[in-house]
Amino acid sequence: MKIVRRPIPVPLHSANLYDIAQAEAYLSHMASRGFFVKKIGLITTFEKNSPEKTKYRLEPVKKENEKPDEEIREYYETQGWKYICTFSSFQIYQAIRMDAMEIHTDPITQSETFASLNKRTKYMFWYITILYSSCIVVTLYTLLHIHPVYFRVSSIYNIAQIPMMLMFLYAIWSSFWDYRKIKKLKQQLDAGVRMKHDVKYKPSYGRYFSLAVPIIILAYMFLASQYNKKVYWEESLFTYNGSIPTISINALESAPNFSIEYGIDSVGDNISYVSHHWTELSPQAYQIKEQGRLEGKMNKDAAPVSSPFMETEYYNMRFQFLSKILFDEMLQNKVDKGSYDTVQYHNIQNTNFDEATLVESGGIQILFARTGKDVIYVAYHGNGKLETVVEEIYDAVTTFKEKK
């Protein structure tokens, strides 16, 4: 006699147990190969012995994982059935002799044993449907209301949203079919039609698919998050010697007393830095920030900006049509229209970019531009004119694209 432990077999997954005839057939099939189930859980225990033709029956319980009373157990044994274990919503019995009498001979009486399970699966269906539908609505609202493409490319923490929605939909679909199976079975018994037992076991890829979907989604979410951690980096511009898809603020600040600030701010972040991350929609995403300062004597005729800065966001999109969507979303949502009295838009015509718009708001000049799969956003506050360096930015983007 040998004990064999395995991860829970797919046909004995809690959802698949609702296909009672096939679950019973599976246990009989395993016994015919010499594997007799002893305990079902995340790890299922089989006893390895000589192959034997054996029948199994699944009895619904009123409460999850409820064990049978001693009197019930003894009565079933007199009928030829030995209690094996309880798993999820069913007690599992094994025939101790082939002439064992059926546990239930009256389908209407047997229907009463399914009343509690029918209510429980109905409750779980509606509970899961309401809960997960609410989660889907909130997620969709977030994606669709808060510029969906930009929301998904600008942060490395949004990977899980679409896979999670798929899991929510799968859970709703799965709970519906569980409820439907038990409801139809109870209706059949109420009509006086006996349950089918001793059917031939037929391996079904659908059962494997029922577990594969959430496993694949969870695996994708895990691997994507690990890949994000691997490819994400941030470095101070003072030590960074690689290329960047934009120009430096030095191209706009010509004063001899101008300098770029480096170092760490009060919360421990780099003052001037370049960072890179990855998302499903944008395999290459960069953020660059330069903080400058004018030192010494200021011009008396004008009031120059003493702390110029430039912030750049660059996205190389996976598909070219997404660059147009991202451009429109950024143009619509990256300008804080409520903070300033006037916001001026200027479409730049004479440019190599496929599309470029300059926005001025509250002393900040912002360039939105795209070319091919590339989209760039440059926000500048300083003493120069951003429009004068648009073609230099285009050259930086296209040159950087060729180096990747």
Side-chain angles (χ1 to χ4, degrees), residues 154-353:
S154 61
S155 172
I156 66 174
Y157 302 108
N158 298 316
I159 292 174
Q161 289 182 321
I162 290 179
M164 283 301 293
M165 284 197 295
L166 293 176
M167 287 193 66
F168 293 153
L169 289 172
Y170 171 79
I172 293 172
W173 174 84
S174 180
S175 64
F176 168 74
W177 281 104
D178 293 344
Y179 167 56
R180 185 173 180 269
K181 288 175 186 175
I182 299 302
K183 181 181 179 181
K184 288 185 69 175
L185 177 57
K186 189 174 184 306
Q187 289 174 342
Q188 170 187 318
L189 294 171
D190 287 336
V193 180
R194 292 186 178 185
M195 279 185 61
K196 289 183 178 180
H197 295 291
D198 302 325
V199 300
K200 185 178 180 180
Y201 173 62
K202 297 179 180 179
S204 171
Y205 291 105
R207 290 188 175 89
Y208 292 88
F209 179 78
S210 69
L211 281 187
V213 169
I215 289 174
I216 290 172
I217 291 174
L218 288 172
Y220 167 78
M221 289 166 56
F222 174 77
L223 293 174
S225 65
Q226 295 304 306
Y227 182 73
N228 263 331
K229 292 178 182 178
K230 180 180 178 181
V231 302
Y232 175 81
W233 54 262
E234 179 181 313
E235 188 174 342
S236 169
L237 283 173
F238 182 73
T239 58
Y240 181 70
N241 58 6
S243 62
I244 56 176
T246 188
I247 61 172
S248 171
I249 195 173
N250 286 316
L252 288 160
E253 297 294 328
S254 57
N257 57 342
F258 172 77
S259 62
I260 299 176
E261 290 188 303
Y262 300 106
I264 305 297
D265 61 19
S266 59
V267 295
D269 296 329
N270 285 309
I271 295 175
S272 298
Y273 66 88
V274 54
S275 68
H276 169 270
H277 69 269
W278 171 94
T279 70
E280 307 100 312
L281 300 184
S282 177
Q284 295 287 340
Y286 284 82
Q287 294 182 342
I288 303 103
K289 180 179 179 181
E290 288 182 294
Q291 181 67 53
R293 178 167 294 278
L294 287 174
E295 303 289 352
K297 188 176 180 180
M298 299 296 168
N299 191 333
K300 295 181 180 180
D301 299 327
V305 176
S306 60
S307 299
F309 69 82
M310 179 181 286
E311 295 182 4
T312 300
E313 294 181 20
Y314 163 83
Y315 304 100
N316 173 247
M317 305 304 290
R318 191 171 298 279
F319 305 106
Q320 186 166 335
F321 79 91
L322 290 173
S323 65
K324 171 60 175 174
I325 297 174
L326 178 60
F327 174 85
D328 292 338
E329 287 184 2
M330 293 177 71
L331 185 60
Q332 180 180 1
N333 296 284
K334 290 283 284 182
V335 180
D336 189 0
K337 304 179 182 66
S339 300
Y340 305 104
D341 294 333
T342 59
V343 178
Q344 298 179 340
Y345 291 82
H346 171 51
N347 292 325
I348 302 174
Q349 302 297 332
N350 298 320
T351 177
N352 287 315
F353 279 111

Side-chain angles (χ1 to χ4, degrees), residues 55 71-82 93-105:
K55 295 189 293 186
E71 292 182 3
I72 295 293
R73 187 183 302 192
E74 291 177 357
Y75 171 73
Y76 282 179
E77 285 193 11
T78 64
Q79 302 298 306
W81 298 94
K82 177 184 176 182
Y93 292 86
Q94 176 187 348
I96 53 180
R97 58 178 189 267
M98 289 310 296
D99 63 345
M101 295 182 62
E102 282 296 339
I103 294 176
H104 296 283
T105 56

